[in-house]
């Protein structure tokens, strides 16, 4: 009997050992399959451009009203409405008859006064030697000097009157004060125009360069100062400048960029904002003065910033955090300091360094130190994450 006992005992032990191994294997396999499934992405290092968006209004670089400076009937119009006109191009002719008559009268008066001056000069030249020879009295000399000085003054006045008459005659020819596109006429031919009547004849717009006006808040100003950015001034030491892009009426981005060239030095107490102006080229006249547009202003460039996907960040009362997966597949809850958001990413000021594996999906049911495995997150979790447009908030 002893001879059969040993083999039976050894066989029973082997069976028990195999059963224990099988149970352990199944348990490990079951544990592995029940680990939370997450998706991870490495944190990136990038140069991040920070923009501000505002509502702006376009206006022409120059907008000039052409007005009649003398009174008269409008006789001729020498331009096509809505076309481009050059500087000093003749636009209108006002009736010149009365102004030509004034010029002729002033010119004749000048000749008369010049003749009187010459006579007074000759009389003085005759009296002076006689006075020196005691052949003329002091009164005669004084009268001759006074007559000569009066004649000289009359000549000066006549010259001024002639210049004024010629100037008014010149005003009857209305010229363009600048190069640009002219509007339709504001007065019909034959209309009495000028100081005592309708004086506005047309307007000229110089719009090959336009100005974009928009408003920024006092908070924007303080933030720009924190970044050592002086709005309205260019800094050659920077690798970037605060340029502006605008969106057209069809929601396309305008091809050219502008630069901020002016910022109001004070805040409007009624609105809490201050005015900012950008200058933008408009060679094809794509932008029309007077229209409203969306303005996008480059406020800052964060060089070598650490960037993580926005959907990976959770906000709770204690702050913002992300889950970082370690090399041993366990996760660490890492509190971070969040910077500006852009597109679908967030700048991390502190707490994460580049090339760390950040859990971007499946992090809502994790806890620190939990072991996870990387895979495809179930569809319901993906839909929840994708539909969340803002930073997620931790559940209490």
């Amino acid at each position: 009997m002893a001879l059969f006992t040993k083999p039976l005992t050894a066989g029973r032990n082997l069976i028990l050992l195999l059963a224990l191994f099988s149970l352990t294997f199944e348990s490990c396999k079951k544990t592995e399959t029940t680990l939370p499934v997450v998706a991870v992405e490495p944190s990136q290092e990038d140069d991040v451009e920070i923009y501000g968006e505002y509502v702006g209004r376009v206006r022409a670089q120059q907008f000039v009203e052409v007005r009649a400076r003398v009174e008269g009937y409008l006789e001729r119009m020498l331009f096509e409405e809505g076309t481009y006109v050059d500087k000093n191009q003749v636009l209108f002719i006002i009736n010149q008859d009365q102004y030509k008559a004034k010029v002729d009268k002033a010119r004749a008066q000048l000749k008369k006064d010049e003749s009187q001056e010459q006579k007074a000069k000759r009389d003085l030249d005759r009296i002076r030697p006689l006075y020196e020879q005691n052949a003329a009295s002091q009164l005669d000399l004084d009268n001759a000097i006074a007559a000569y000085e009066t004649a000289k003054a009359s000549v000066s006045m006549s010259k001024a009157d002639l210049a004024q008459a010629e100037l008014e005659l010149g005003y009857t020819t209305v010229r363009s004060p600048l190069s640009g596109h002219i509007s339709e006429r504001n007065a019909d031919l034959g209309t009495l125009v000028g100081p005592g009547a309708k004086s506005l004849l047309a307007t000229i717009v110089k719009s090959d360069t336009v100005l974009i006006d928009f408003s920024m808040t006092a908070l924007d100003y303080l933030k720009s100062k924190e970044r050592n950015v002086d709005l309205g001034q260019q800094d050659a030491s920077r690798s970037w400048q605060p340029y502006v892009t605008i969106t057209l009426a069809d929601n396309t981005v305008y091809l050219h960029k502008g630069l901020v060239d002016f910022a109001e030095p004070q805040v409007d107490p009624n609105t809490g904002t201050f005015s900012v102006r950008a200058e933008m080229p408009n060679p094809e006249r794509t932008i029309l003065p007077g229209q409203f547009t969306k303005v996008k202003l480059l406020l800052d460039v964060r060089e070598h910033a650490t960037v993580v996907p926005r959907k990976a960040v959770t906000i709770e009362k204690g702050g913002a955090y992300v889950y970082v997966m370690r090399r041993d597949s366990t996760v660490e809850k890492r509190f971070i300091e969040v910077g500006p958001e852009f597109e679908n990413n967030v700048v991390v000021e502190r707490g994460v360094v580049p090339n760390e594996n950040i859990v971007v999906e499946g992090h809502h049911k994790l806890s620190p130190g939990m072991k996870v495995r990387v895979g495809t997150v179930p569809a319901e979790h993906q839909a929840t994450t994708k539909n969340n447009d803002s930073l997620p908030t931790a559940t209490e």
Side-chain angles (χ1 to χ4, degrees):
M1 292 295 294
L3 291 176
F4 291 100
T5 301
K6 268 188 175 183
L8 289 174
T9 303
R12 189 182 299 112
N13 291 339
L14 181 59
I15 293 172
L16 291 174
L17 183 61
L18 291 174
L20 180 62
F21 177 78
S22 177
L23 290 174
T24 304
F25 178 77
E26 291 295 331
S27 177
C28 291
K29 185 176 180 181
K30 184 177 181 181
T31 301
E32 183 179 353
T33 56
T34 57
L35 290 178
V37 179
V38 298
V40 299
E41 291 183 15
S43 54
Q44 305 288 333
E45 181 179 320
D46 198 1
D47 294 338
V48 179
E49 296 181 343
I50 308 301
Y51 292 91
E53 294 187 357
Y54 312 93
V55 176
R57 185 174 183 179
V58 182
R59 63 184 173 96
Q61 186 183 36
Q62 288 183 278
F63 180 88
V64 177
E65 294 180 340
V66 180
R67 293 183 177 271
R69 303 178 68 176
V70 292
E71 188 176 73
Y73 290 99
L74 196 63
E75 283 192 342
R76 300 171 63 190
M77 184 184 75
L78 303 174
F79 66 93
E80 292 291 334
E81 295 171 312
T83 60
Y84 186 86
V85 295
D86 296 317
K87 184 176 182 180
N88 292 325
Q89 179 179 331
V90 178
L91 304 177
F92 298 95
I93 300 294
I94 299 173
N95 184 270
Q96 300 177 341
D97 294 342
Q98 61 175 328
Y99 299 102
K100 286 181 178 179
K102 286 183 179 180
V103 170
D104 294 339
K105 181 178 179 181
R107 186 175 290 116
Q109 184 64 44
L110 175 60
K111 289 182 179 180
K112 178 181 177 181
D113 291 336
E114 287 176 341
S115 298
Q116 293 291 336
E117 179 190 16
Q118 292 173 5
K119 180 180 180 300
K121 179 69 168 58
R122 289 193 298 268
D123 292 343
L124 178 60
D125 291 341
R126 284 195 301 268
I127 294 294
R128 199 182 299 276
L130 294 175
Y131 172 76
E132 293 174 354
Q133 297 173 8
N134 293 324
S137 66
Q138 180 68 45
L139 179 60
D140 294 334
L141 179 61
D142 291 343
N143 289 337
I145 293 174
Y148 176 62
E149 295 296 335
T150 301
K152 285 178 62 177
S154 296
V155 170
S156 297
M157 290 178 61
S158 295
K159 286 182 178 179
D161 290 339
L162 177 59
Q164 177 66 28
E166 290 176 340
L167 189 61
E168 291 179 352
L169 177 60
Y171 288 156
T172 60
T173 301
V174 182
R175 299 179 180 272
S176 173
L178 75 158
S179 297
H181 286 81
I182 192 166
S183 68
E184 65 177 352
R185 66 178 185 271
N186 282 40
D188 294 328
L189 298 182
T191 304
L192 180 64
V193 297
K198 188 174 184 178
S199 62
L200 180 61
L201 303 180
T203 56
I204 299 177
V205 177
K206 181 179 173 59
S207 58
D208 52 355
T209 298
V210 294
L211 303 177
I212 313 296
D213 294 323
F214 56 98
S215 296
M216 299 179 66
T217 65
L219 180 60
D220 291 329
Y221 176 79
L222 293 176
K223 289 183 177 180
S224 67
K225 283 299 183 183
E226 291 176 0
R227 297 186 291 266
N228 295 319
V229 177
D230 290 326
L231 294 172
Q233 300 180 11
Q234 297 188 30
D235 188 353
S237 63
R238 283 200 309 264
S239 60
W240 60 277
Q241 298 298 334
Y243 68 83
V244 163
T245 58
I246 64 173
T247 303
L248 301 178
D250 58 357
N251 290 324
T252 60
V253 178
Y254 182 53
L255 176 64
H256 300 283
K257 296 179 181 180
L259 282 175
V260 173
D261 65 344
F262 171 77
E264 187 71 33
Q266 61 182 0
V267 173
D268 185 345
N270 296 321
T271 61
T273 62
F274 63 98
S275 299
V276 181
R277 182 186 70 197
E279 188 176 277
M280 181 170 291
N282 187 31
E284 297 87 11
R285 295 186 69 223
T286 306
I287 312 172
L288 294 178
Q291 71 184 85
F292 288 91
T293 183
K294 296 178 183 178
V295 178
K296 194 174 181 181
L297 170 63
L298 179 62
L299 297 174
D300 191 16
V301 176
R302 307 290 293 274
E303 298 178 345
H304 308 296
T306 301
V307 178
V308 300
R310 183 171 59 180
K311 60 185 179 181
V313 181
T314 305
I315 302 294
E316 64 177 13
K317 293 180 180 179
Y321 66 88
V322 295
Y323 276 102
V324 180
M325 191 180 76
R326 299 170 177 168
R327 292 184 178 180
D328 60 356
S329 296
T330 60
V331 292
E332 173 189 356
K333 185 178 182 180
R334 188 87 58 83
F335 281 91
I336 60 175
E337 181 180 342
V338 178
E341 297 183 26
F342 67 101
E343 297 177 352
N344 293 319
N345 298 316
V346 180
V347 174
V348 178
E349 306 285 3
R350 190 178 294 107
V352 174
V353 297
N355 297 320
E356 289 192 284
N357 287 325
I358 308 299
V359 178
V360 295
E361 293 180 359
H363 55 80
H364 298 285
K365 295 183 179 181
L366 297 182
S367 59
M370 181 179 292
K371 200 173 185 65
V372 298
R373 66 186 180 91
V374 178
T376 303
V377 179
E380 61 270 15
H381 295 294
Q382 292 182 3
T384 301
T385 305
K386 289 180 180 178
N387 291 333
N388 191 2
D389 293 332
S390 59
L391 290 178
T393 303
T395 55
E396 296 182 358

